[in-house]
Amino acid sequence: NFRQAKGKEIELTYRYYISSAALDEVSLARAVRAHWGLHWVLDVSMNEDKCQIYQNHAAENWAMLRQLSLNMLRAEPSKGSIPAKQKRAWMKTSFLEGVLHAGLSQLIEI
């Protein structure tokens, strides 16, 4: 991975991934980007990295709730970013109901 920050030297880093899937280079790169893309969205929109909950299964439970809420926000058909949809859901009960309806409808179809 090459990275150059403004005013600094080019930096080369290596990352290693373990997987049981038989993937070619392109498929592995896509899988890695998709995986880290999800974590980036959760961190930026829901401050996942700042969470200080570690006891018992609480961290896993909160992670699952964050992913569920992200999926519900994505299922809601209006345009707008995830943080914008979060703010609308906080401010307007009718929009929150729409997010819940869209998300739960998606779960029922599965």
Side-chain angles (χ1 to χ4, degrees):
N1 185 18
F2 286 101
R3 179 177 180 231
Q4 183 174 14
K6 194 172 185 176
K8 295 186 178 181
E9 292 185 33
I10 295 175
E11 182 181 337
L12 174 63
T13 57
Y14 293 94
R15 295 182 181 151
Y16 299 93
Y17 299 94
I18 298 172
S19 174
S20 60
L23 301 172
D24 62 10
E25 295 165 354
V26 173
S27 299
L28 177 62
R30 285 185 185 139
V32 168
R33 282 189 200 102
H35 174 78
W36 288 112
L38 170 65
H39 288 289
W40 182 84
V41 170
L42 288 170
D43 186 37
V44 169
S45 62
M46 300 185 186
N47 296 319
E48 186 174 53
D49 287 349
K50 292 180 184 176
C51 182
Q52 297 292 312
I53 300 170
Y54 298 109
Q55 285 187 320
N56 302 326
H57 298 287
E60 295 162 16
N61 294 339
W62 274 104
M64 194 180 316
L65 289 171
R66 280 188 214 98
Q67 289 177 2
L68 179 65
S69 63
L70 177 62
N71 289 338
M72 287 184 164
L73 289 165
R74 285 181 171 166
E76 199 282 321
S78 70
K79 294 191 180 213
S81 66
I82 297 299
K85 287 183 178 185
Q86 283 178 303
K87 188 173 183 178
R88 282 180 65 194
W90 292 332
M91 306 279 273
K92 295 183 179 182
T93 306
S94 59
F95 185 75
L96 174 60
E97 289 172 355
V99 169
L100 293 171
H101 183 272
L104 293 173
S105 296
Q106 192 178 42
L107 287 175
I108 291 170
E109 289 176 6
I110 295 172

